[in-house]
Amino acid sequence: IRDSYNNIAVIYRQQKKFDLALEYYEKAVDIHKLSDNKLGEAQALNNMAVVYEAILLYDTAIEYYNKALSIFIEMGYKTGECTALTNIAGIEIMQKNLSKVPEKLTKAQEIAEDTEDNYRLITIYGLWGQYYLERKDFNNAIKNSLEAHNLAKQINSNAHYTELSLQISIIYETFAFYKDALEYHKLYHQNHDSIYNIQKSEIIEKLSADFQLMEKESKLELQKKEIEILEKSKKIAKFRNFSLLIAVVLMIIIVLSMIYFHSKKLKTQTLINEKNLEIKESEKQILELNLKNQ
């Protein structure tokens, strides 16, 4: 039930039906609490925070990230702790609430480096770049952003690579390095167009697959209806043949009954006629006796 609630919430989140997503994540949290599943509870709380962040309720998102973070720390689950810290730092940079960002990013970076989690390291370096950009520290902003950019290229993370190209372009433009800004902006557009084309191809393939599936389903439905019609026709033919058989049997019974009763009637009539003849013969004999007597 818990997993079903979570899966329903994921679908609603993908459909951008955020109220329903939160409702089902909350149901999942309740069951996690009942079964004392701390990890599941923290992950569900983290997912709720992601939804609140998507609908721009940043303070509520931070509140839920912190709830998840407390459980992750209590359990010693480093990956979850790193994720929560990174997400909170990202919101705080967006809100320009920078005072506690270094502490969170430093802790998250330590965990990511210990676990050799390159994907999270890309995000963390990128956030350092954004943090130093807000601080107007060009050297550290560009250093960390390039670090994230190079790491994204090494592990072929195209989405991160494209996003960081734009971030680097913005940093160069902010500090009036227009030539470098233009170079990375072009790089951003090249990769963005590439990703867009890939996504477009995937969408076309999905639509084609959906159409083929729909066509197959239509054929199956048509075949199913044809089978139903055939089965109904067979039933009707069977019923008609059965009815005809019953009618023939009834006709035979009626005819045999008529023959039987007619035969019986003839026998009875014959018997009556014989008795009548006997009576007449007796009467004749009596008459003859009477005449002799006279």
Side-chain angles (χ1 to χ4, degrees), residues 60-226:
T60 308
I62 288 176
E63 178 187 340
Y64 276 83
Y65 279 133
N66 277 318
K67 287 181 181 179
L69 178 62
S70 297
I71 297 173
F72 287 138
I73 292 171
E74 178 187 342
M75 294 181 61
Y77 184 60
K78 294 298 182 180
T79 301
E81 182 182 350
C82 181
T83 300
L85 286 168
T86 304
N87 291 334
I88 294 168
I91 294 175
E92 288 178 341
I93 291 170
M94 192 186 310
Q95 292 180 318
K96 302 187 187 304
N97 183 16
L98 306 176
S99 59
K100 296 181 180 179
V101 168
E103 177 187 346
K104 294 181 176 67
L105 287 181
T106 300
K107 181 62 177 175
Q109 186 173 337
E110 288 173 1
I111 295 171
E113 286 173 348
D114 288 341
T115 56
E116 297 182 352
D117 191 337
N118 287 330
Y119 283 96
R120 283 187 174 80
L121 275 174
I122 291 169
T123 302
I124 292 164
Y125 284 133
L127 288 173
W128 275 122
Q130 293 175 28
Y131 167 77
Y132 283 117
L133 177 60
E134 293 295 334
R135 290 290 190 187
K136 306 300 180 187
D137 184 342
F138 169 75
N139 290 330
N140 281 314
I142 202 66
K143 175 186 173 184
N144 282 280
S145 297
L146 286 171
E147 186 77 28
H149 193 261
N150 292 332
L151 188 55
K153 186 176 181 179
Q154 286 175 26
I155 64 172
N156 295 318
S157 178
N158 290 329
H160 282 113
Y161 186 77
T162 303
E163 184 181 334
L164 287 160
S165 296
L166 180 60
Q167 179 171 315
I168 293 167
S169 175
I170 291 170
I171 294 170
Y172 277 129
E173 185 180 1
T174 303
F175 291 93
F177 293 97
Y178 299 115
K179 184 178 178 181
D180 294 318
L182 179 60
E183 179 185 342
Y184 277 91
H185 200 71
K186 286 179 180 178
L187 194 60
Y188 161 73
H189 273 291
Q190 288 171 4
N191 285 279
H192 183 269
D193 292 342
S194 175
I195 291 172
Y196 173 74
N197 289 331
I198 291 169
Q199 289 174 342
K200 186 168 68 174
S201 298
E202 289 174 350
I203 290 168
I204 291 169
E205 287 176 6
K206 185 178 183 301
L207 288 172
S208 176
D210 289 345
F211 174 75
Q212 290 175 5
L213 179 62
M214 185 175 66
E215 195 174 28
K216 287 179 182 178
E217 286 176 348
S218 298
K219 286 181 181 178
L220 286 171
E221 190 66 27
L222 184 62
Q223 288 175 356
K224 186 179 176 183
K225 287 181 180 178
E226 288 175 352

Side-chain angles (χ1 to χ4, degrees), residues 240-259:
R240 185 172 61 239
N241 293 336
F242 182 70
S243 301
L244 184 62
L245 179 64
I246 289 175
V248 170
V249 170
L250 287 173
M251 284 292 291
I252 292 170
I253 291 171
I254 291 168
V255 169
L256 290 173
S257 298
M258 289 175 68
I259 292 170

